[in-house]
């Protein structure tokens, strides 16, 4: 599989290879081991999320500190906004990291909290793996800024594009899923961004959820972003010819073209933000059970989405 990745990346990314600096291929070869399920090096990005992460808990705090430490260790001008708030007797905290000062932002997000029940629930696909993928993608963007600034920055500046990476707290219900007992972090951030005017500058919100375990189809949910979905589907088809999860011809959800799966995108979607929701349907069989653990993650799935989303974000910026 590794060979397949490298060959395809050479084809997809010629402009980064021409003028020196790092190539996508080199980056992924060097960095995919950081997402290893088995090698617990101190730089591993995936294993620190292998814990319960209920809002306000000590474990949640450790995970927040791990995420913040990671961004502090990067080279680029990342801006951190953390927002701590209380709701339903619990403390929550959203973390937002921004790269670049821009007129428009591509935002990529996942939730880092885990369900309160059943006790011991880790939520490896829900959404530990997605959080690790966000770190990987951030590292990718950071390296491009650091090593290829002369090449990359004019393109991003010319397009007026920056990136926001969002870690939501409190996606899960504390007791039973209801409008006022779920999506704590995303409702909070969407409200703040509506008041500050930031929402008007979000070009696209890519929301990751339930990725990393057995491969399931991931349909296109919204007509407004089907164009982006097609771009990602073509990257996937170039990347692997086995077990394609995206199918741009599957228009089942586009006909309804509304919210059918409630997740952190909802407060943003309702406020008019373009959303690409990357969540499998049907959900993984381990969904909301104790079996949604690291034994049920698949290395190939984690690696695949890390590579595809890195490529996709640059593709979004370059084509604007
Ligand atoms: Zn969940």
């Amino acid at each position: 599989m590794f060979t397949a990745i490298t060959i395809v990346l050479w084809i997809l990314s010629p402009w980064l290879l021409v003028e020196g600096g790092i190539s996508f291929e080199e980056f992924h070869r060097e960095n995919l081991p950081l997402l290893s399920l088995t090698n617990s090096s101190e730089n591993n990005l995936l294993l620190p999320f292998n814990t319960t992460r209920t809002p306000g808990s000590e474990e949640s705090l450790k995970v927040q500190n791990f995420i913040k430490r990671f961004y502090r260790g990067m080279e680029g001008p990342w801006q951190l906004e953390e927002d701590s708030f209380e709701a339903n007797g619990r403390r929550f905290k959203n973390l937002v990291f921004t790269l670049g000062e821009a007129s428009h932002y591509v935002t990529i997000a996942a939730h880092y909290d885990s369900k309160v029940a059943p006790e011991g629930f880790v939520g490896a696909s829900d959404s530990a793996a997605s959080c690790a993928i966000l770190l990987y993608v951030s590292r990718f963007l950071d390296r491009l800024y650091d090593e290829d600034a002369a090449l990359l920055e004019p393109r991003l500046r010319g397009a007026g594009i920056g990136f926001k990476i969002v870690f939501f707290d409190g996606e899960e219900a504390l007791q039973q899923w209801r409008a006022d007992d779920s999506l704590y972090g995303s409702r909070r951030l969407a409200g703040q961004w509506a008041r500050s005017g930031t929402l008007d500058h979000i070009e696209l919100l890519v929301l990751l959820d339930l990725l990393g375990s057995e491969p399931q189809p991931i349909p296109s949910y919204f007509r407004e972003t089907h164009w982006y979905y097609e771009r990602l589907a073509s990257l996937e088809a170039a990347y692997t010819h086995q077990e394609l999860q995206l199918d741009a011809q599957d228009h089942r959800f586009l006909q309804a073209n509304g919210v059918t799966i409630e997740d952190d995108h909802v407060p943003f979607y309702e406020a008019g933000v373009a959303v690409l929701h990357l969540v499998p349907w049907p959900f993984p069989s381990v969904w909301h059970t104790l079996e949604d653990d690291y034994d049920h993650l698949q290395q190939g799935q984690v690696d695949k989405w890390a590579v595809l989303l890195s490529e996709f974000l640059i593709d979004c910026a370059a084509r604007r």
Side-chain angles (χ1 to χ4, degrees):
M1 189 171 97
F2 212 64
T3 315
I5 294 173
T6 56
I7 290 168
V8 166
L9 291 172
W10 273 86
I11 297 165
L12 289 176
S13 317
W15 59 268
L16 271 178
L17 301 169
V18 192
E19 299 175 39
I22 66 160
S23 69
F24 285 15
E25 180 227 358
E26 282 168 8
F27 178 87
H28 294 305
R29 193 174 49 233
E30 275 174 26
N31 288 279
L32 278 179
L34 300 179
L35 291 174
S36 172
L37 279 160
T38 50
N39 178 359
S40 58
S41 83
E42 61 173 317
N43 297 322
N44 189 296
L45 303 179
L46 181 57
L47 299 178
F49 292 96
N50 188 7
T51 172
T52 59
R53 305 172 302 281
T54 58
S57 65
E58 210 166 289
E59 294 81 9
S60 168
L61 189 65
K62 274 191 198 155
V63 165
Q64 291 165 27
N65 288 337
F66 166 68
I67 294 171
K68 288 192 281 183
R69 232 181 7 255
F70 170 84
Y71 283 92
R72 278 199 295 270
M74 296 227 272
E75 302 290 337
W78 290 89
Q79 274 187 358
L80 161 63
E81 293 155 73
E82 48 185 319
D83 175 37
S84 186
F85 61 98
E86 204 173 300
N88 274 354
R90 289 246 182 184
R91 284 218 76 76
F92 299 88
K93 185 180 276 188
N94 286 332
L95 298 171
V96 180
F97 300 88
T98 303
L99 182 64
E101 275 190 40
S103 57
H104 289 84
Y105 291 93
V106 175
T107 300
I108 183 163
H111 74 88
Y112 73 88
D113 63 301
S114 63
K115 263 170 74 65
V116 175
E119 201 183 329
F121 176 82
V122 162
S125 74
D126 189 9
S127 267
S130 294
C131 289
I133 290 169
L134 293 189
L135 297 183
Y136 183 92
V137 165
S138 300
R139 197 177 167 93
F140 177 78
L141 296 173
D142 189 69
R143 279 284 289 278
L144 293 186
Y145 256 77
D146 185 41
E147 295 195 23
D148 259 330
L151 189 60
L152 182 66
E153 265 200 304
R155 283 176 183 264
L156 299 187
R157 271 209 201 112
I161 279 279
F163 299 98
K164 286 183 183 288
I165 318 289
V166 179
F167 297 83
F168 290 120
D169 199 359
E171 186 266 352
E172 303 285 5
L174 296 175
Q175 289 178 354
Q176 185 119 36
W177 190 281
R178 292 193 328 212
D180 62 352
D181 185 13
S182 63
L183 310 182
Y184 290 93
S186 50
R187 285 189 284 131
R188 167 98 174 172
L189 189 67
Q192 288 176 323
W193 280 5
R195 287 188 294 279
S196 67
T198 306
L199 275 190
D200 300 335
H201 301 277
I202 302 303
E203 174 104 349
L204 175 69
L205 169 67
V206 184
L207 179 67
L208 317 182
D209 206 354
L210 307 183
L211 300 181
S213 59
E214 85 243 45
Q216 300 268 34
I218 300 177
S220 179
Y221 293 100
F222 301 114
R223 273 183 229 151
E224 296 85 343
T225 52
H226 191 60
W227 181 84
Y228 285 109
Y229 182 93
E230 286 177 325
R231 288 297 311 150
L232 188 58
S234 64
L235 287 175
E236 187 199 25
Y239 169 79
T240 174
H241 295 287
Q242 301 157 13
E243 297 181 301
L244 293 184
Q245 289 167 270
L246 305 185
D247 177 3
Q249 304 310 315
D250 175 3
H251 289 192
R252 276 174 303 163
F253 287 90
L254 299 184
Q255 274 144 23
N257 202 44
V259 171
T260 42
I261 296 176
E262 295 197 10
D263 204 345
D264 283 321
H265 63 303
V266 171
F268 296 87
Y269 179 81
E270 287 177 345
V273 173
V275 170
L276 183 61
H277 191 197
L278 295 179
V279 69
W281 182 261
F283 290 167
S285 57
V286 295
W287 178 67
H288 282 190
T289 71
L290 288 174
E291 300 231 289
D292 188 3
D293 58 16
Y294 271 52
D295 288 342
H296 288 82
L297 288 182
Q298 295 189 10
Q299 189 71 62
Q301 280 288 297
V302 175
D303 291 356
K304 168 181 157 177
W305 288 107
V307 170
L308 285 182
L309 289 164
S310 298
E311 301 263 335
F312 176 70
L313 290 192
I314 292 301
D315 196 65
C316 285
R319 279 168 191 275
R320 191 164 183 271

